[in-house]
Amino acid sequence: MKPIDPRLLRYARATRLFLVAVVGLGAVGAGLVIAQAMLIAEVVVGAFQHGHSVSELRTPLALLAGVAVGRALVSWLTELAAHRASAAVKSELRGRLLDRAVALGPGWLSGQRTGSLVTLATRGVDALDDYFSRYLPQLGLAVVVPVAVLARIVTEDWVSAAIIVGTLPLIPLFMVLIGWATQSRTDRQWRLLSRLSGHFLDVVAGLPTLKVFGRAKAQAESIRRITSEYRQATMRTLRIAFLSSFALELLATLSVALVAVTIGMRLVHGDMDLYTGLVILVLAPEAYLPLRQVGAQFHAAAEGLAAAEEIFAVLETPVPASGAGAVPSDASLAFEGVTVRYPDRSADAVTDVSFTVEPGETVALVGPSGVGKSTLLNVLLGFVRPTEGRVRVGGAGGNGGVGGVDLADVDLEEWRSRIAWVPQRPHLYAGTIAENVRLARPDADDDAVRRALRDAGALEFVDALPEGAGTVLGEDGAGLSAGQRQRLALARAFLADRPVLLLDEPTAALDGATEAEVVAAVRRLSEGRTVLLVVHRPALLSAADRVVRLSGSEAPRGLRPLDPQNLRPPTTRLGQLESEAIDRL
């Protein structure tokens, strides 16, 4: 771990101003330390050697009090600057982390553990507090104070200065050796915390399923084991921190004692006056103190630095390239020999798929689970790049995909601004219903939100709630049924009012009555739009103008026309288990 990671200066601009402030305040603090040593020596010599009364020492005593107040003020300003810089840096890093995660898209997020990312964005970023409030200010003092103190001591006694110069580098040397031992332990501690957080979040999210299958206690034992490993790793790290602080304190104490012995011997033999000896004795510990404190505070900042490494790894992950071309006004789509293979897979997710969607046409895409229907939607959204083939937008009408613009060449942000997307499991955030619907168009007024709710068939149940559209939902729409959440997602699409519509199994996990309401909403939403609809249940086929089947290995081109009469609703794994149990009975 570097004392100052240059990536902090690049990704968090507030760090630069803070470092300048720390060095400046360190210089002022160094001047006050030297002035304090000189005033203490003057008071002691005046009182004990020259016999001056308190009234005669009034001026140096007043100045000494002023210096003490000055040092307290410098310390307060340093703390203030540290906390403000820490807050600004944490806010900036969290924003950059979120922006990069969004830019990397679902393809990257699907390979990450949700709990680890949450821990990184919360506990990990918060761990930088100690780095800014303790470590960096002390590092600034360690750069300025020893140099200033040595410059003052060398003008009084070069022998003492030589002793300090010879022993001072031993502290950074021991700090580096201890830091190497600490780094691996701290990294392991952070990995265990991420693992624990991710596992705990996954267990909580799947607790109903675990309870049904009687596996909740087994997971509790797993969490208990990981927690024990994290506790042991933390205690090992703390043990190193305490031992390193003891070693640095002992080294600094012996070094100061060596200076004190030489001064005492020369005072006894009359080779040095009392004033000079006192100044050096007071200043000598101040030369070692900042370096000693840097070593101690390094351990407090180690967790933040370990988390920062992971944050920078995310920030430096390359974002999929985006073209700069304009998006055609013609809302037509053409898949031309599209093949997708994910980096960590040995088989293609989609193989040689070709089909078109004419402007204003609704195409239902069907096929068995795992054949790549959702992957095609991700390709169209620009989150996944085809391994082979291409997608053209615009100019496809009547030409079998000839013409148009390659999706890889257009501005993805502009292209996405023309798409309304309703996923299979839409996410609702903790907030009001109106706020959740307005995600599609933040500037929409209340009337527009109500129209969108009415068109989606959601207004009736929303008005039945105590506060209507102002009702506050829990995270992920806690308190609403699956059908109600789906209709709110459709209301977002109505409010967005965009020419291209992507629907990924909008009736999944719904009962018959709710499914009929959602299908009616989909018909209204599809009017006048270019729609690609992923279908697993036959009720939605009536809303489609054309049905194509993605058949995987059965057909090399990937698609063949489908007779809606032959489509059977798929069964879930739970449904299969129920059927098998009934057959056995």
Side-chain angles (χ1 to χ4, degrees):
M1 286 182 274
K2 303 178 182 68
I4 300 178
D5 196 317
R7 291 173 293 184
L8 269 177
L9 304 179
R10 184 164 71 251
Y11 291 117
R13 290 184 294 272
T15 309
R16 305 173 189 176
L17 181 61
F18 174 62
L19 289 177
V20 172
V22 163
V23 173
L25 290 170
V28 174
L32 292 173
V33 165
I34 294 172
Q36 184 181 44
M38 295 172 64
L39 288 169
I40 289 175
E42 183 178 348
V43 170
V44 171
V45 170
F48 293 96
Q49 189 173 36
H50 301 301
H52 292 164
S53 64
V54 174
S55 59
E56 291 175 313
L57 296 173
R58 182 170 51 202
T59 300
L61 287 172
L63 291 174
L64 185 61
V67 168
V69 172
R71 292 192 68 178
L73 181 61
V74 167
S75 178
W76 177 76
L77 290 174
T78 302
E79 287 282 336
L80 180 63
H83 286 295
R84 290 195 174 183
S86 176
V89 168
K90 290 193 299 181
S91 177
E92 189 170 0
L93 282 181
R94 278 200 181 99
R96 286 180 178 269
L97 188 63
L98 179 61
D99 291 341
R100 180 52 62 100
V102 170
L104 290 171
W108 178 83
L109 286 170
S110 63
Q112 307 297 312
R113 289 180 65 92
T114 304
S116 298
L117 282 177
V118 170
T119 303
L120 189 62
T122 52
R123 169 72 180 269
V125 176
D126 285 336
L128 289 172
D129 270 334
D130 289 335
Y131 180 79
F132 282 94
S133 62
R134 299 183 184 181
Y135 177 69
L136 279 186
Q138 202 60 52
L139 190 63
L141 292 176
V143 171
V144 176
V145 173
V147 175
V149 168
L150 275 173
R152 181 66 183 88
I153 290 177
V154 77
T155 61
E156 298 287 349
D157 179 36
W158 68 269
V159 176
S160 299
I163 294 173
I164 294 175
V165 168
T167 56
L168 200 61
L170 294 177
I171 294 181
L173 177 62
F174 274 82
M175 284 168 50
V176 170
L177 295 176
I178 294 168
W180 284 342
T182 304
Q183 181 174 358
S184 60
R185 298 293 179 91
T186 304
D187 290 345
R188 183 170 184 273
Q189 179 193 14
W190 176 253
R191 287 195 300 271
L192 283 172
L193 178 61
S194 298
R195 178 181 162 198
L196 174 62
S197 302
H199 189 68
F200 185 76
L201 184 61
D202 291 341
V203 168
V204 171
L207 195 56
T209 304
L210 291 171
K211 193 69 176 175
V212 167
F213 288 97
R215 300 296 300 168
K217 290 185 178 180
Q219 292 300 320
E221 179 60 32
S222 175
I223 291 176
R224 188 180 297 111
R225 177 177 52 79
I226 298 174
T227 303
S228 178
E229 292 177 5
Y230 177 67
R231 176 184 57 79
Q232 293 173 8
T234 302
M235 294 306 296
R236 283 193 292 268
T237 304
L238 289 175
R239 189 181 303 119
I240 292 177
F242 292 146
L243 290 175
S244 65
S245 296
F246 171 75
L248 295 178
E249 289 285 347
L250 179 62
L251 183 61
T253 301
L254 293 176
S255 301
V256 172
L258 185 60
V259 174
V261 168
T262 59
I263 290 175
M265 295 297 295
R266 282 183 289 168
L267 283 174
V268 170
H269 290 88
D271 296 334
M272 178 182 290
D273 61 89
L274 181 59
Y275 176 81
T276 301
L278 285 174
V279 169
I280 296 173
L281 280 176
V282 174
L283 286 178
E286 298 289 346
Y288 296 96
L289 179 62
L291 287 173
R292 197 169 72 237
Q293 289 297 316
V294 165
Q297 300 304 336
F298 175 81
H299 297 285
E303 184 180 0
L305 289 172
E309 288 288 337
E310 294 195 21
I311 293 172
F312 296 141
V314 174
L315 295 180
E316 292 172 355
T317 302
V319 176
S322 172
V327 178
S329 58
D330 179 9
S332 57
L333 312 172
F335 288 78
E336 300 178 357
V338 173
T339 296
V340 176
R341 175 176 291 185
Y342 293 107
D344 56 343
R345 307 280 179 85
S346 59
D348 293 340
V350 172
T351 302
D352 196 19
V353 170
S354 298
F355 69 98
T356 62
V357 185
E358 306 294 338
E361 183 182 25
T362 298
V363 172
L365 187 60
V366 301
S369 295
V371 80
K373 301 183 296 298
S374 296
T375 297
L376 290 179
L377 296 189
N378 283 330
V379 169
L380 200 55
L381 287 164
F383 294 134
V384 176
R385 283 295 182 95
T387 308
E388 298 176 11
R390 59 185 174 180
V391 177
R392 289 185 174 273
V393 295
N399 295 322
V402 178
V405 180
D406 193 333
L407 184 60
D409 297 330
V410 304
D411 185 338
L412 283 179
E413 290 301 317
E414 184 182 353
W415 168 242
R416 288 169 185 158
S417 70
R418 302 191 64 194
I419 298 176
W421 178 43
V422 180
Q424 181 179 351
R425 286 179 292 273
H427 189 84
L428 298 179
Y429 296 88
T432 66
I433 290 177
E435 288 170 344
N436 273 279
V437 175
R438 277 197 185 93
L439 286 174
R441 206 174 80 213
D443 60 344
D445 56 24
D446 291 341
D447 291 338
V449 171
R450 287 188 64 81
R451 282 195 302 272
L453 290 170
R454 183 179 62 250
D455 292 339
L459 189 60
E460 183 178 351
F461 83 80
V462 169
D463 283 343
L465 295 173
E467 298 180 29
T471 301
V472 177
L473 303 177
E475 187 63 31
D476 201 18
L480 297 181
S481 68
Q484 290 171 335
R485 289 197 294 268
Q486 201 69 48
R487 278 175 280 178
L488 290 183
L490 289 171
R492 287 175 180 167
F494 274 110
L495 187 64
D497 192 20
R498 293 171 180 175
V500 179
L501 177 62
L502 305 181
L503 301 174
D504 190 356
E505 303 179 33
T507 60
L510 302 183
D511 58 65
T514 304
E515 181 182 46
E517 295 178 2
V518 171
V519 169
V522 169
R523 286 199 189 95
R524 292 192 295 271
L525 183 57
S526 301
E527 293 178 2
R529 294 181 172 88
T530 301
V531 183
L532 185 58
L533 175 63
V534 173
V535 177
H536 266 184
R537 300 176 64 159
L540 268 175
L541 291 178
S542 60
D545 300 318
R546 183 160 51 95
V547 180
V548 291
R549 181 180 180 86
L550 186 63
S551 55
S553 59
E554 294 182 14
R557 296 296 295 170
L559 292 164
R560 69 170 183 261
L562 176 72
D563 182 359
Q565 298 297 324
N566 296 328
L567 184 68
R568 296 176 59 191
T571 58
T572 63
R573 179 59 182 158
L574 184 58
Q576 293 171 358
L577 291 174
E578 290 173 346
S579 299
E580 292 170 4
I582 292 172
D583 291 340
R584 285 196 297 272
L585 291 174

